[in-house]
Amino acid sequence: MRLALAVAARALPGGDVPVGAVVLDPRGVVIGEGFNRREADGDPTAHAELLALRAAAQAVGQWRLSGCTLVVTLEPCTMCAGAIVLSRVDRVVFGAYDPKAGAVGSLWDVVRDPRLNHRPEVVAGVLAEECARVLQDFFEAQRG
């Protein structure tokens, strides 16, 4: 999670919400990382999780990320939760809960929906206070 926090800080110069994500292979080696780039790229899909999953898929040469773990500083939204299921990631580890848009337990629980064909393990609340503080500081600075 500390690496994901460090990656999240790279979103700040572009004016994006500081969310960071890393994908670890089954041995624990980082094979993908991403940070929010919606503002920087003008792309509504440029969430940290999607960018990290894309980088990991490119690194392994296929879209199936079986055996991999996604670590992200903020609970994934519905779009990212869908991508997590579709990528076949085995585990999702997230920091801060997102009561307004979270789809891994807060508002919805997309990744554990029994109607879907893949349900990763979820480890929630890792360094939650530290992850939440990064976001709170960002939004306080935005309000001036």
Side-chain angles (χ1 to χ4, degrees):
M1 186 61 71
R2 295 225 183 270
L3 178 57
L5 282 163
V7 171
R10 295 179 13 212
L12 293 170
D16 278 284
V17 177
V19 175
V22 294
V23 177
L24 308 171
D25 74 6
R27 297 164 298 157
V29 175
V30 175
I31 57 170
E33 61 181 46
F35 53 91
N36 275 359
R37 294 190 50 88
R38 292 184 309 166
E39 299 296 333
D41 294 351
D43 179 355
T45 69
H47 287 204
E49 301 94 323
L50 291 183
L51 299 175
L53 290 170
R54 287 178 190 152
Q58 186 172 17
V60 299
Q62 65 172 347
W63 62 268
R64 285 182 188 86
L65 297 174
S66 301
C68 294
T69 298
L70 172 70
V71 180
V72 60
T73 58
L74 180 65
E75 179 183 1
C77 69
T78 53
M79 175 180 66
C80 294
I84 290 164
V85 170
L86 293 173
S87 71
R88 307 298 194 270
V89 168
D90 280 4
R91 182 178 304 101
V92 178
V93 178
F94 73 85
Y97 284 89
D98 186 351
K100 294 182 180 179
V104 184
S106 288
L107 288 180
W108 301 281
D109 200 349
V110 172
V111 300
R112 290 181 283 208
D113 189 317
R115 296 169 293 182
L116 298 175
N117 65 339
H118 180 72
R119 289 178 295 285
E121 173 189 357
V122 174
V123 179
V126 175
L127 297 179
E129 290 179 17
E130 191 170 337
C131 292
R133 173 54 46 201
V134 168
L135 296 165
Q136 290 165 352
D137 290 348
F138 171 79
F139 287 114
E140 284 173 11
Q142 294 298 305
R143 288 189 286 274

